[in-house]
Amino acid sequence: MAQKFRVVIVGGGIAGLALATRLGDSIGKSGRAEITLVDKSFAHVWKPMLHCFAAGTAANENDRISFLSQASRHHFDFWPGEISGLDRAAKSITLAPVKEPSGEVILDERTLEYDALVLSIGSRANDFGTPGVAEHCLFIDNLVEANGFNERFRMELLKAFGNNEELDIAIVGGGATGTQLAAELHKALDLASLYSFGKKPPKLKITLLEAGPRILPAFPEAVSAAAKKQLEDIGVTVQTSAMVSGADEKGYMLKDGTRVPATLRVWAAGVKAPDVTRNFAGLKLSRSGQLEVRPTLQLLEDDNIFAMGDCAFIAEKPVAPTAQVARQQAHHLARYMPRWMNGAKLPPFAFHNKGAVVALGDYNGWGTFPGGKVFGGGWLRGISARMVHLMLYRQHQFELYGTFRGLISCLVDWLDVFVRPAVRLD
C-alpha cells in the first residue's frame, strides 16, 4: 500500500490550527494525505486575547481549544512537542524532549518525517538585547506566560491590599498588546473591588513606556491621541519617546538617565521569531529571525517547506505580523496546497487589508477601515469597535468549531457570567 503524502504543520496558533483544520477536512478526510499538527502546548488560544488572560479578565479555561479534540473531529493527528532541529536532506524535523515542570522527561527526543512542512511557530517580543530585560521582566507571548503574569499580579495585588501599599507596574511597548494590557489591568482592579467587602482596594500605578513619538503607531494619529487620553483618564501614565536602556529588580532605566520604579515589569515591545529559527542551517533569515519566503510562502531554499504567520517574512512585499495576515495565509495554503501536491504551481499570496481594531477594556475602542477611516470612540465609549473586536474572536471560534459548536460556546460564555466572578480571584 502506497504511503500517504505527509503534511506536517509546526505551531498551533491562529494560522497553524486553521490550516490543519481545513486540510484535515479536505485531503485528510478523503485519505489523500496524512496531516499532523505539532505544538508544545495541548491547547490553542486566540493570541489577541492574551492580555485579557494576563489581567484575569477572561477565563482561559473556556477559551482554550484542545488540540486532541480538534484533531479527532477534523481528521488530523496531533503530536505534543517543540521543534528543535530541521534536516532538509532527510525531510525530517527533531522534536525536543517533553518534560514536567520538575524536569523529569516524559517523552524523549523524537524525529518526524514529512513530504511538506509548514512552519507556523509565531513570534515573541523583542528585547533587542537590552541589559536586564531577560532576567527581570515578564512576557505575555503565550498562555503559559500570560498565566504566569496573572499569578504574580494577583499575589502582588494581595500584598499591596494587605499592607495598604501602592502597586507599581511598568509596561514597555505602546503597541496594541501593551496598550490593551494597561487598560485591562485597570479593569481587573475595578472588577476585583466589587469583591473587597467594602475595603478600599489598593492603588494601582501603571506606567506605559513607548520608545516612539506616540502609542499605537500602526493606527492613525487621531486614534493614538484619543487612546493616550483615555489611558490617562483612567490613571495610566503614558511616556512616549522613552527609550529603555536597562532593567533590574526594581524597575527600568531610561536612556535619558531617569528611572521608572516598578514591582512588576512587563516587556511587550518589538517582534522577533523564536530563537529556534537560527538552528535551521542554510536558511535565510530576516534581521528579527523570521524565515524569508517567496510570495508563494515557500522558503527561498526549499520548495517543500512553507512558513506563514509571524515567523515568515515575504521580502518582495512585506506584511505586518498580525492575526489577520496569519489567518489569510492559512486560508491561502489550505486552498492551493492540495493542487500543489498534484503538481500545480502555487499562486502568490495576496493580503487583503480588512482594517484594524483596538479595544481598551470596557473603557473605549477604535477601529480603522481599509481606507484609513476611523470608527469608534465618542460618547458611546467605542462600543462599535469593541463589538468588532469581540466579533473577530467569535469568527475565529466559529471557523474552528463550526456553526453549532460555535453557538454552544457563545452560550456557555454567556451563562458563565452568572456563575463565575468577572475577574480571576484565585
Side-chain angles (χ1 to χ4, degrees):
M1 183 176 178
Q3 182 174 291
K4 293 180 182 179
F5 191 90
R6 298 161 299 181
V7 179
V8 175
I9 303 165
V10 182
I14 290 173
L17 187 55
L19 179 60
T21 300
R22 289 189 169 221
L23 288 181
D25 285 341
S26 58
I27 56 178
K29 184 177 181 180
S30 67
R32 293 173 54 201
E34 182 181 281
I35 314 299
T36 302
L37 176 67
V38 176
D39 195 275
K40 61 184 177 181
S41 176
F42 279 87
H44 163 90
V45 295
W46 196 48
K47 192 171 182 178
M49 287 281 286
L50 285 175
H51 64 282
C52 297
F53 302 146
T57 53
N60 61 63
E61 293 85 358
N62 295 347
D63 296 290
R64 301 180 191 181
I65 297 176
S66 164
F67 288 131
L68 286 169
S69 174
Q70 188 75 2
S72 68
R73 290 175 179 271
H74 295 278
H75 314 282
F76 65 88
D77 296 323
F78 169 69
W79 266 104
E82 184 173 11
I83 187 171
S84 59
L86 168 63
D87 186 337
R88 292 196 290 128
K91 284 192 173 183
S92 68
I93 60 172
T94 302
L95 302 182
V98 176
K99 300 180 180 179
E100 282 190 344
S102 64
E104 181 183 351
V105 175
I106 303 301
L107 289 175
D108 291 323
E109 182 179 272
R110 294 148 290 151
T111 59
L112 196 58
E113 296 180 340
Y114 65 84
D115 295 303
L117 175 66
V118 184
L119 297 170
S120 181
I121 52 179
S123 64
R124 293 191 54 80
N126 192 346
D127 64 12
F128 305 103
T130 307
V133 170
E135 297 83 5
H136 301 291
C137 295
L138 297 164
F139 296 79
I140 57 168
D141 292 314
N142 54 55
L143 184 59
V144 172
E145 292 178 349
N147 284 340
F149 171 83
N150 181 257
E151 179 72 19
R152 284 285 308 277
F153 174 59
R154 288 185 289 111
M155 293 303 101
E156 293 296 340
L157 201 59
L158 177 62
K159 186 189 300 183
F161 185 86
N163 297 330
N164 195 27
E165 297 174 344
E166 183 177 78
L167 175 57
D168 289 338
I169 301 176
I171 303 167
V172 176
T177 299
T179 302
Q180 292 179 131
L181 177 62
E184 212 67 34
L185 289 171
H186 262 283
K187 176 183 173 182
L189 188 62
D190 288 344
L191 293 172
S193 66
L194 299 175
Y195 305 94
S196 64
F197 304 104
K199 296 179 181 179
K200 186 178 180 181
K203 184 178 179 182
L204 185 63
K205 181 182 178 183
I206 297 179
T207 303
L208 181 63
L209 302 171
E210 166 57 39
R214 61 187 178 95
I215 63 172
L216 298 176
F219 286 80
E221 288 191 26
V223 172
S224 297
K228 181 174 184 289
K229 182 179 184 305
Q230 180 63 69
L231 289 175
E232 291 173 341
D233 286 346
I234 63 175
V236 177
T237 300
V238 180
Q239 294 186 28
T240 55
S241 301
M243 181 71 72
V244 175
S245 60
D248 57 26
E249 68 278 4
K250 295 183 178 180
Y252 291 110
M253 290 77 74
L254 303 186
K255 194 174 182 180
D256 63 7
T258 60
R259 283 189 61 92
V260 178
T263 304
L264 291 179
R265 301 157 300 280
V266 186
W267 192 275
V271 176
K272 70 172 184 176
D275 293 338
V276 70
T277 60
R278 303 190 185 278
N279 296 341
F280 303 157
L283 301 183
K284 188 175 182 182
L285 306 178
S286 71
R287 288 193 303 172
S288 58
Q290 294 166 298
L291 296 155
E292 288 205 18
V293 297
R294 289 168 263 172
T296 58
L297 304 182
Q298 293 165 294
L299 295 191
L300 302 180
E301 304 84 358
D302 198 317
D303 289 346
N304 297 311
I305 303 180
F306 302 78
M308 61 179 183
D310 294 358
C311 72
F313 177 71
I314 306 174
E316 291 184 26
K317 195 173 183 180
V319 290
T322 64
Q324 67 168 314
V325 169
R327 183 170 179 268
Q328 289 184 31
Q329 288 178 340
H331 292 180
H332 177 83
L333 287 184
R335 179 178 181 182
Y336 293 108
M337 184 174 280
R339 305 179 194 179
W340 169 80
M341 287 166 46
N342 292 328
K345 288 187 177 181
L346 284 166
F349 167 72
F351 173 58
H352 301 286
N353 184 14
K354 306 292 186 182
V357 65
V358 60
L360 302 186
D362 295 334
Y363 305 111
N364 220 323
W366 299 267
T368 59
F369 292 109
K373 186 178 180 181
V374 175
F375 65 94
W379 65 277
L380 288 176
R381 297 186 302 168
I383 190 170
S384 58
R386 290 187 287 119
M387 287 301 295
V388 168
H389 190 269
L390 177 61
M391 288 170 60
L392 290 172
Y393 172 54
R394 295 303 182 192
Q395 178 189 45
H396 179 66
Q397 283 187 314
F398 273 66
E399 178 182 357
L400 296 175
Y401 280 147
T403 303
F404 179 72
R405 293 180 68 220
L407 288 171
I408 295 297
S409 177
C410 292
L411 178 61
V412 169
D413 286 347
W414 180 74
L415 291 174
D416 201 51
V417 172
F418 299 98
V419 179
R420 297 181 185 270
V423 63
R424 186 176 179 183
L425 301 172
D426 54 14

